[in-house]
Amino acid sequence: MEDYRTIQGRSAVEIEVKHSRFIASAAFVETEEQALDFLAQIRAANRTANHNVYAYVLREGNRLRYSDDGEPAKTAGLPVLEAIQHAGLVDCIVVVTRYFGGTLLGTGGLVRAYTESASGVLEASRVVTVRSCVDIRVTVEYPLYERAALILQNAGARMQDPEFAQDVTLTATLPEGEEAPLIPAFAELSRGAAVPQISKPYYTPF
């Protein structure tokens, strides 16, 4: 599986266009069930809204869906979907809630408003790259602690808190494949005494 970009958690932004309120809400979702559950939550929280337009893109089954929810065809859901795709995101849903302000926006105005809303909430979201990573765990004697930590830091590893006991155990996460040069580095540092343990690869934001 290739690396991919998604968002963490949830976020929301609001804009006003000619007295109409557009509230954009975004969330990380991994399944269609989660996407529809988030949509239901937004609808329940905005029962008096005129429209709850949405779009989502999922890695699972390469699935994507969008809905204009009563707005003219292709003026609402499609611009929201295109905002997600333009940002290069997957496992993501955006719902744009509209409270009509009494002034018609026209086809072009609707497209601009929904595009701006969706793009705005994605810009406000924390975007992460999910990669295949491994954990590396190595135990060294106290005099070698700082140099061992430096080896991991120079490799760009994400460090966890060290464990101090009779010796020091360091644990860190780094992209799969980048752990190979560290094994001989620790062997040289410790004259063969420090043998790193490498976890199985797993996908995580990095």
Side-chain angles (χ1 to χ4, degrees), residues 117-184:
S117 299
S119 298
V121 75
L122 294 175
E123 289 173 3
S125 301
R126 183 182 177 189
V127 176
V128 295
T129 298
V130 179
R131 295 175 174 156
S132 178
C133 293
V134 295
D135 290 334
I136 182 169
R137 183 179 175 88
V138 63
T139 300
V140 298
E141 296 176 346
Y142 274 84
L144 302 179
Y145 164 53
E146 291 186 359
R147 282 183 287 169
L150 193 60
I151 289 174
L152 292 169
Q153 292 167 2
N154 289 341
R158 188 171 59 205
M159 306 283 291
Q160 299 181 22
D161 291 337
E163 301 171 26
F164 297 105
Q166 183 175 347
D167 294 313
V168 185
T169 298
L170 299 170
T171 304
T173 304
L174 68 168
E176 181 186 6
E178 296 186 13
E179 76 281 3
L182 302 185
I183 297 174

Side-chain angles (χ1 to χ4, degrees), residues 11-71:
S11 55
V13 300
E14 179 176 340
I15 66 170
E16 183 175 317
V17 181
K18 294 183 178 179
H19 307 298
S20 280
R21 293 172 58 207
F22 291 84
I23 306 168
S25 306
F28 167 74
V29 291
E30 292 182 284
T31 66
E32 195 159 34
E33 181 180 4
Q34 291 176 356
L36 295 178
D37 182 62
F38 180 72
L39 173 61
Q41 292 176 36
I42 298 300
R43 283 175 168 165
N46 296 277
R47 296 184 185 278
T48 61
N50 300 88
H51 309 278
N52 284 290
V53 170
Y54 71 87
Y56 58 82
V57 179
L58 303 174
R59 287 184 306 119
E60 184 182 78
N62 293 318
R63 185 177 297 274
L64 56 85
R65 293 286 186 274
Y66 69 88
S67 169
D68 295 308
D69 195 34
E71 294 281 32

Side-chain angles (χ1 to χ4, degrees), residues 15-22 50-53 67-83 96-119:
I15 66 170
E16 183 175 317
V17 181
K18 294 183 178 179
H19 307 298
S20 280
R21 293 172 58 207
F22 291 84
N50 300 88
H51 309 278
N52 284 290
V53 170
S67 169
D68 295 308
D69 195 34
E71 294 281 32
K74 298 183 179 180
T75 64
L78 187 58
V80 173
L81 175 63
E82 289 175 342
V96 181
T97 301
R98 182 189 182 191
Y99 287 88
F100 182 55
T103 301
L104 297 175
L105 302 183
T107 300
L110 287 172
V111 170
R112 286 191 293 273
Y114 280 104
T115 298
E116 181 181 350
S117 299
S119 298

